[in-house]
Amino acid sequence: MNELSTKDPDQRRSIGAARNPESHEAILEAAEAILAEQGYAGFSIEAVARRAKAGKPTIYRWWPSKAHLLLDVYTRLKENMLEPDTGTLEGDFRLFLTNLLQFWAGAPGGVFRSLIAEAQTDGKAGEALREYCVDRVSHTAGLIDRAKARGEVRPEVDSLAGSDLLSAFAWKLLLTGRLEGMEHEVEAVAAIMARGMVR
Amino acid sequence: MNELSTKDPDQRRSIGAARNPESHEAILEAAEAILAEQGYAGFSIEAVARRAKAGKPTIYRWWPSKAHLLLDVYTRLKENMLEPDTGTLEGDFRLFLTNLLQFWAGAPGGVFRSLIAEAQTDGKAGEALREYCVDRVSHTAGLIDRAKARGEVRPEVDSLAGSDLLSAFAWKLLLTGRLEGMEHEVEAVAAIMARGMVR
């Protein structure tokens, strides 16, 4: 385990805050443009460095691998997705899945599929994917925690495990090419999961 | 859609029955041996043909792609796994996940990960994986249908969607390298899912 990974999350975030915001942003924008124009196959640290007029060492100082940078770009694309807030857990689960499948039906789905594939053979991509998942699972657990706060969900429910399960379902649909026409299955899964958590 | 895929399952099975059982078995055994000795990377139709002393056309007559053959071998390896029958749906879910994670912690996990990865870029592998999933999801739905039959589960629960969700969770653990030490999460997910289905 390297030194960085033993630091607590707040300390790690403070490293990010020390980045030069301008060139950091320029690199992310260059990476996003390359991804949009050439897809996953054309994406490399070299290409991003050239386009952002940044040195490769600068990029590697902030992102330990291509996969880490790619997941940061992917996360930015995802930020436009609305956070579900329908008032019920079942409604939120349904909307979460519907939004995610729709997002993936566009170019980002291809990027994320490629990244999962690469993570199966490339150690750094695997590490980047795991870190990304820890972050996303904890974020999505917020849906369940908010339902707990309004008294809808039993307090002993494991929000992280529930959130992991929800996203796992979406992953399997992505990886088996079933992003469209899944309304019935999405509804069935949202119903099972919400019923499994409510009081 | 090709002609074959519009035939009903019984008709398709009858094609299998017309195979020469000896050379069919020899090919599967050769494929299994190669996979055990050289892993996914060393696995090819050429290598299997050589080892089984069979012609490549013979193999392709029965399996449309390397991925189809590989999934047949993988299915045979899985046949040694015991079918969960604990008497409760929650117990069955827990045991299903525990057995699968344990199976994947050995060599078959690497094979299946590689196959999912390949399915993201290779159309035939994608098709083989989808066919395999339809078959497995329907098989595992039997756990839920049996719980329905003993009056434990509400009749309106969608067994296929539930089974798809259960396996999706295992896939995500495999693809993010979390096969071991997951007892707590397995328990939490089995509890959420079973509670979501029972009367």
Side-chain angles (χ1 to χ4, degrees):
Chain A
M1 191 174 271
N2 65 36
E3 262 202 308
L4 192 62
S5 61
T6 61
K7 290 184 179 171
D8 76 34
D10 283 341
Q11 278 181 284
R12 290 181 62 184
R13 218 167 291 135
S14 77
I15 295 170
R19 291 167 175 170
N20 171 347
E22 260 180 55
S23 74
H24 186 256
E25 182 64 24
I27 291 165
L28 281 169
E29 277 173 14
E32 191 174 325
I34 289 170
L35 211 53
E37 289 162 19
Q38 301 172 47
Y40 190 86
F43 189 91
S44 68
I45 295 286
E46 287 73 13
V48 173
R50 219 167 20 241
R51 181 150 187 156
K53 299 187 176 63
K56 279 172 58 180
T58 307
I59 300 184
Y60 278 118
R61 187 146 35 99
W62 293 332
W63 294 277
S65 74
K66 180 182 112 166
H68 286 85
L69 173 55
L70 203 133
L71 276 168
D72 263 10
V73 174
Y74 175 79
T75 303
R76 275 158 57 102
L77 293 174
K78 243 180 144 182
E79 269 163 14
N80 299 323
M81 273 178 61
L82 284 179
E83 196 72 27
D85 186 15
T86 62
T88 68
L89 187 62
E90 186 172 342
D92 284 357
F93 283 163
R94 205 155 43 205
L95 193 58
F96 173 89
L97 290 172
T98 304
N99 286 348
L100 188 52
L101 299 189
Q102 197 181 350
F103 176 69
W104 279 345
V111 170
F112 199 59
R113 282 172 73 170
S114 303
L115 198 114
I116 293 175
E118 188 158 311
Q120 305 317 308
T121 49
D122 178 292
K124 284 199 172 169
E127 188 196 309
L129 182 64
R130 273 189 295 278
E131 284 172 17
Y132 172 79
C133 284
V134 168
D135 184 63
R136 293 314 299 173
V137 163
S138 125
H139 181 85
T140 304
L143 293 182
I144 301 166
D145 289 331
R146 284 195 290 279
K148 272 187 200 177
R150 61 179 182 259
E152 192 185 352
V153 163
R154 287 172 292 125
E156 69 272 21
V157 165
D158 185 327
S159 308
L160 290 174
S163 158
D164 214 4
L165 178 61
L166 186 69
S167 102
F169 179 67
W171 278 39
K172 192 178 176 194
L173 295 183
L174 174 69
L175 295 167
T176 52
R178 294 180 293 159
L179 295 176
E180 278 160 18
M182 299 307 290
E183 293 76 11
H184 167 76
E185 246 211 345
V186 160
E187 209 168 294
V189 161
I192 290 168
M193 286 194 55
R195 192 172 169 126
M197 296 183 186
V198 296
R199 281 176 185 277
Chain B
M1 192 174 270
N2 64 37
E3 261 201 309
L4 190 63
S5 61
T6 63
K7 290 183 179 170
D8 75 34
D10 283 342
Q11 278 182 285
R12 290 181 62 183
R13 219 167 291 133
S14 77
I15 295 171
R19 291 166 176 171
N20 171 347
E22 260 180 52
S23 75
H24 186 257
E25 182 64 25
I27 291 164
L28 281 170
E29 277 174 12
E32 190 174 326
I34 288 171
L35 211 53
E37 288 163 18
Q38 300 172 48
Y40 189 86
F43 189 90
S44 68
I45 295 285
E46 287 74 13
V48 173
R50 216 164 26 239
R51 181 148 187 158
K53 298 187 176 64
K56 278 171 62 177
T58 308
I59 299 183
Y60 278 117
R61 187 147 34 97
W62 293 331
W63 293 278
S65 74
K66 179 183 113 167
H68 285 85
L69 173 55
L70 204 133
L71 277 169
D72 262 11
V73 174
Y74 175 78
T75 303
R76 275 157 57 101
L77 292 175
K78 243 179 144 181
E79 270 162 15
N80 299 325
M81 271 176 62
L82 284 179
E83 196 72 26
D85 186 14
T86 63
T88 69
L89 187 63
E90 185 172 342
D92 284 357
F93 283 164
R94 205 157 41 207
L95 193 57
F96 173 89
L97 290 172
T98 304
N99 286 348
L100 188 52
L101 299 189
Q102 197 181 352
F103 177 67
W104 279 345
V111 171
F112 199 60
R113 284 174 73 169
S114 302
L115 198 114
I116 293 175
E118 188 158 310
Q120 305 316 308
T121 50
D122 179 292
K124 284 198 173 172
E127 187 197 310
L129 182 63
R130 272 188 295 278
E131 283 172 17
Y132 171 80
C133 284
V134 168
D135 184 64
R136 293 314 299 174
V137 163
S138 124
H139 180 85
T140 304
L143 292 182
I144 302 168
D145 289 332
R146 284 195 290 281
K148 273 187 199 175
R150 61 178 183 260
E152 192 185 351
V153 163
R154 289 171 291 125
E156 69 272 21
V157 165
D158 185 327
S159 307
L160 290 174
S163 158
D164 214 1
L165 178 61
L166 186 69
S167 101
F169 179 66
W171 278 39
K172 192 178 176 193
L173 295 184
L174 173 68
L175 295 167
T176 53
R178 293 179 293 159
L179 294 176
E180 278 159 18
M182 298 307 290
E183 293 77 11
H184 167 77
E185 247 211 343
V186 161
E187 209 167 295
V189 161
I192 290 169
M193 286 195 55
R195 192 173 168 126
M197 296 184 184
V198 296
R199 283 176 185 278

